[in-house]
Amino acid sequence: MFMQVPLLKIDGMKLVQSQAICRFLARKHGLDGVTIEDKARVDMINEGARDFLSKYFPIGFAPNTDEVKNEIKTKHFSRFLPIFEKLLTDSSSGYLVGESLTFADLTLFEALLNSEEFFPGSLDGYPKLKTFKTMVGSLPRIKAYMEGPQRKGVPTPEYVQHCTSVLY
């Protein structure tokens, strides 16, 4: 539709736009909340987690990577981590919304992986976030993904060069 990636071909459809794809898959697999209120809360928290996760995107690609990393450490940790810690403190299930995994949990999990990969020890003052990261990371299919070759960690120079050649 918009001549771009990502593109997901599924069920006879071609879907673009990363969040449209995520929401479609979440709905298809019951990862979007149970009630209409839960669904709205999942959307809201997912967007907040995406805001946090997006701070990591320039690392390795921007010419000022050190400045980006410094801003994350000095500005964004204190903005986002306490909010997610509180959400998990208030949760009886260990998940962000309801009693089971949602795509908001997966987005936060990815953001926390970035936090620990780029800033080891960054979650030390947030016990609920550490527990959450361990819990989600130990789910069998997540664990298999994390241990497989498809998981991309910190961008290597080769990865950055490949992405740049494909996208530009």
Side-chain angles (χ1 to χ4, degrees), residues 63-101:
N64 60 342
T65 290
D66 289 337
E67 290 174 30
V68 171
K69 288 174 79 173
N70 186 55
E71 185 172 314
I72 292 169
K73 194 165 35 172
T74 60
K75 181 178 176 186
H76 300 301
F77 281 169
S78 62
R79 176 179 174 205
F80 289 101
L81 294 179
I83 293 168
F84 292 118
E85 180 77 8
K86 171 103 171 66
L87 288 169
L88 292 169
T89 298
D90 294 345
S91 168
S92 61
S93 67
Y95 293 107
L96 292 167
V97 178
E99 300 300 314
S100 60
L101 185 74

Side-chain angles (χ1 to χ4, degrees), residues 1 13 15 17-22 36 41 45 53 65-66 71 73 76 87 102 118 121 123 129 145 155 160:
M1 171 183 256
M13 295 185 302
L15 293 174
Q17 298 293 342
S18 60
Q19 285 306 290
I21 293 168
C22 286
I36 191 76
R41 194 161 166 79
I45 294 169
L53 177 60
T65 290
D66 289 337
E71 185 172 314
K73 194 165 35 172
H76 300 301
L87 288 169
T102 67
F118 288 112
L123 302 179
L129 288 172
Y145 172 82
V160 171

Side-chain angles (χ1 to χ4, degrees), residues 23 32 45 49 57 75-76 107 134 143 149 154:
R23 283 186 174 84
D32 63 333
I45 294 169
F57 295 165
K75 181 178 176 186
H76 300 301
T107 303
T134 299
K143 185 176 183 197
V154 174

Side-chain angles (χ1 to χ4, degrees), residues 37-165:
E37 293 83 7
D38 285 350
K39 292 174 189 298
R41 194 161 166 79
V42 167
D43 280 344
M44 177 181 68
I45 294 169
N46 181 66
E47 291 302 322
R50 277 180 33 81
D51 287 348
F52 181 43
L53 177 60
S54 71
K55 305 305 179 194
Y56 292 93
F57 295 165
I59 295 177
F61 294 90
N64 60 342
T65 290
D66 289 337
E67 290 174 30
V68 171
K69 288 174 79 173
N70 186 55
E71 185 172 314
I72 292 169
K73 194 165 35 172
T74 60
K75 181 178 176 186
H76 300 301
F77 281 169
S78 62
R79 176 179 174 205
F80 289 101
L81 294 179
I83 293 168
F84 292 118
E85 180 77 8
K86 171 103 171 66
L87 288 169
L88 292 169
T89 298
D90 294 345
S91 168
S92 61
S93 67
Y95 293 107
L96 292 167
V97 178
E99 300 300 314
S100 60
L101 185 74
T102 67
F103 78 105
D105 295 304
L106 297 174
T107 303
L108 178 59
F109 178 69
E110 183 68 21
L112 298 178
L113 288 173
N114 276 268
S115 296
E116 285 286 301
E117 288 170 344
F118 288 112
F119 305 98
S122 60
L123 302 179
D124 286 349
Y126 302 94
K128 295 290 186 183
L129 288 172
K130 287 178 82 168
T131 299
F132 171 85
K133 182 176 166 275
T134 299
M135 178 184 76
V136 173
S138 67
L139 295 170
R141 293 179 75 183
I142 302 293
K143 185 176 183 197
Y145 172 82
M146 295 298 296
E147 293 172 352
Q150 64 278 15
R151 167 71 178 136
K152 305 290 187 241
V154 174
T156 63
E158 296 80 18
Y159 176 75
V160 171
Q161 182 181 6
H162 173 72
C163 290
T164 303
S165 71

